[in-house]
Amino acid sequence: MKKLVFATHNSHKTEEVSAVLRGKVELVNLSSLGFHEDIPETSDTLEGNALQKARYVYERFHLDCFADDTGLEVEALNGGPGVYTARFAGPGCDFDSNVAKLLRVLEGVSDRHARFRTVVALILDGREYLFEGVIDGEITTERRGDKGFGYDPVFRPEGYDLTFAQMGADAKNRISHRAIAVRKLTDFLTKEK
C-alpha cells in the first residue's frame, strides 16, 4: 500500500480523509512524523496555499505528500471568505467565532448561496498534481446540528434538508467537497500503480 504524508495538523481533516482513503493508501500526518510547526499559507488562492504546504513538506521530508486548502465561497460576500475561511473572524479565532461572524454579516441577506471548494495538491515522485472538489449549497440562518467542525452547522448542501453538522461523518464524507477532491486523488493514485 502506498504511503503518503498528509500535510496537516488538523485531526478532523485527517479523520475525514482517512475514511475516504481507507484500504487504498496508508496515510501519515505531520504529527506522526513528529513535526508540529505551522506551515506558511501566504497565497491568495486555494491552489497556491495547497501547493505551498505540499512543497514545504516535500522539501523537508523528501516523502510523497499532499496538502489541501478549503474555502467557503459565499455569493453575497463576493466569494469570501475564500482563502480566509479558517481565520474569517480574525487572527487566533476559532470555528465558533467564524460561524458567529458569518451569521452576523449575512443577517437579513436573502441570497445565501455558497459553495465549499477544496483543492488538493499532490507531490508524487517530485511531480505536482492538483485535484478539486466543489459542493454547492446555502448558509442557513442559524446553527443546526452538533457533528462535524468548522462551518458544518450552517452549511446545507444543495438537494439536502440537513446541514453537514446534522448528517454525521459517514453521510458527509460521501458528498463533501473534500471527499470529492480526495476521491479524485485516490483514483489518480490507483491508476498510477
Side-chain angles (χ1 to χ4, degrees):
M1 197 180 319
K2 182 149 204 62
K3 186 179 200 171
L4 266 182
V5 177
F6 184 15
T8 188
H9 297 293
N10 185 319
S11 61
H12 297 292
K13 278 187 184 183
T14 303
E15 287 170 24
E16 264 188 27
V17 172
S18 291
V20 177
L21 293 175
R22 193 161 285 123
K24 296 172 181 123
V25 173
E26 182 187 343
L27 194 64
V28 178
N29 69 14
L30 296 175
S31 299
S32 61
L33 292 176
F35 181 80
H36 302 286
E37 297 170 33
D38 284 334
I39 299 174
E41 290 181 65
T42 57
S43 177
D44 59 358
T45 66
L46 299 176
E47 293 83 357
N49 279 337
L51 280 167
Q52 185 178 16
K53 291 187 281 187
R55 288 171 182 156
Y56 188 93
V57 170
Y58 188 79
E59 288 165 11
R60 186 166 190 121
F61 296 102
H62 307 288
L63 296 170
D64 290 337
C65 64
F66 70 96
D68 79 316
D69 199 24
T70 294
L72 175 63
E73 299 171 344
V74 180
E75 222 164 82
L77 302 179
N78 298 315
V83 293
Y84 304 104
T85 295
R87 46 196 186 280
F88 185 50
C93 63
D94 60 12
F95 294 141
D96 189 54
S97 54
N98 284 331
V99 170
K101 179 177 180 180
L102 181 64
L103 290 174
R104 197 169 49 254
V105 299
L106 289 180
E107 200 170 308
V109 175
S110 58
D111 178 5
R112 301 180 79 83
H113 181 265
R115 70 180 191 166
F116 266 118
R117 190 165 69 93
T118 292
V119 176
V120 171
L122 168 69
I123 301 180
L124 185 66
D125 301 324
R127 290 181 143 156
E128 296 177 350
Y129 306 90
L130 291 173
F131 308 92
E132 182 183 77
V134 176
I135 186 161
D136 288 298
E138 70 175 13
I139 303 301
T140 57
T141 56
E142 62 187 13
R143 297 169 198 251
R144 294 188 211 151
D146 58 3
K147 297 170 183 68
F149 65 100
Y151 296 86
D152 287 356
V154 294
F155 184 80
R156 186 185 61 77
E158 205 169 83
Y160 293 84
D161 294 327
L162 304 175
T163 66
F164 274 163
Q166 291 173 302
M167 289 183 172
D170 289 344
K172 178 187 172 186
N173 287 342
R174 283 194 294 274
I175 64 166
S176 81
H177 46 292
R178 189 170 292 110
I180 293 166
V182 171
R183 272 196 297 278
K184 289 178 181 178
L185 166 72
T186 305
D187 291 346
F188 175 79
L189 292 170
T190 304
K191 289 174 189 157
E192 283 293 296
K193 283 186 175 183

